[in-house]
Structure formats: structure tokens, C-alpha cells
Amino acid sequence: MNAETALKEATTLIDGALGAALVDYTSGMALGTVGGGKDLDLTVAAAGNTDVVRAKVRTMEMLGLSDEIEDILITLGTQYHLIRLLKGRGTNGLFLYLALDKGRANLAMARLQLKRIENELEV
């Protein structure tokens, strides 16, 4: 599936999804967004979460960890923010970002669905 289809699927099939973005963390730019709104600017979230990813990658390098980041979870009072680094062919430097309503989302199912979407995504 292409990026637009993947993001639409993430926001329609994952319970509690508020918005999703495909982000290039080398530039911090959102390559595509779906959802969001006045309380969730996905362009700002893309840039800010790029800093989170870069910091974690840098920390792992300083620690000498040779493992890969599967996903990063940020838990807020009313939301979950899930960042999933893409590992498929042609996806180096990209991540999927998903914002979820904490009261409506099932975090375990959201992680599974996002992994499935990653596996079907063609960039």
C-alpha cells in the first residue's frame, strides 16, 4: 500500500486514532498526514518527534547498543503517541507517527496494527 492509504488505514482501523503521519527524520518533514486538527498539528508533531528519534538514536550509539528501535511510546494524560521506525526496503530514515486517544485506544492492538501497516507499506 502507498503512504496515503497506510495513513488512512491507521486512522480508520485503529480505535482511538486522532491522527497519523509518515515522517522523514533526516529532515523532520511530514511526507503525509491524516487527521489531527487544531489541538494536534501533525506538522509540528512530525518535527518535534524527529528530535525524539534523533536523541534516542544518538543515545544508543553512545551506549554502544547495536539493537534497533522498534517503536517509541510517549504517554500523556489523555493521549498515547506512538513512533514506529520503518525498517523495510527504501524506508531508512522514516517513521510512522500515530496519536491515540488514551480513553478509547487499545495500545497493544494499536502497536500490532501499526506493525502490520509498516509491513504492507511501499514507499
Side-chain angles (χ1 to χ4, degrees):
M1 75 177 78
N2 66 24
E4 182 181 349
T5 303
L7 295 174
K8 284 180 181 174
E9 193 165 305
T11 55
T12 56
L13 296 181
I14 299 175
D15 289 339
L18 302 170
L22 176 64
V23 183
D24 176 351
Y25 70 81
T26 58
S27 68
M29 294 193 56
L31 304 177
T33 63
V34 172
K38 70 177 185 74
D39 294 330
L40 179 60
D41 184 328
L42 291 170
T43 304
V44 172
N49 285 307
T50 292
D51 291 337
V52 171
V53 171
R54 288 179 183 163
K56 188 59 188 171
V57 168
R58 193 171 47 251
T59 301
M60 288 179 62
E61 288 171 356
M62 290 187 303
L63 291 171
L65 297 175
S66 60
D67 211 346
E68 293 181 339
I69 299 170
E70 187 172 324
D71 57 36
I72 298 169
L73 171 65
I74 300 168
T75 305
L76 305 177
T78 60
Q79 296 177 0
Y80 294 121
H81 291 218
L82 191 55
I83 300 167
R84 181 163 187 90
L85 277 70
L86 303 184
K87 296 175 186 65
R89 178 175 34 88
T91 62
N92 192 29
L94 301 179
F95 67 86
L96 285 169
Y97 166 71
L98 179 66
L100 299 159
D101 179 318
K102 197 173 174 182
R104 295 185 306 134
N106 177 324
L107 184 57
M109 289 303 295
R111 289 182 71 216
L112 285 172
Q113 288 281 33
L114 206 55
K115 182 177 183 176
R116 183 193 55 76
I117 290 168
E118 173 196 4
N119 291 333
E120 295 177 11
L121 178 63
E122 292 181 15
V123 179

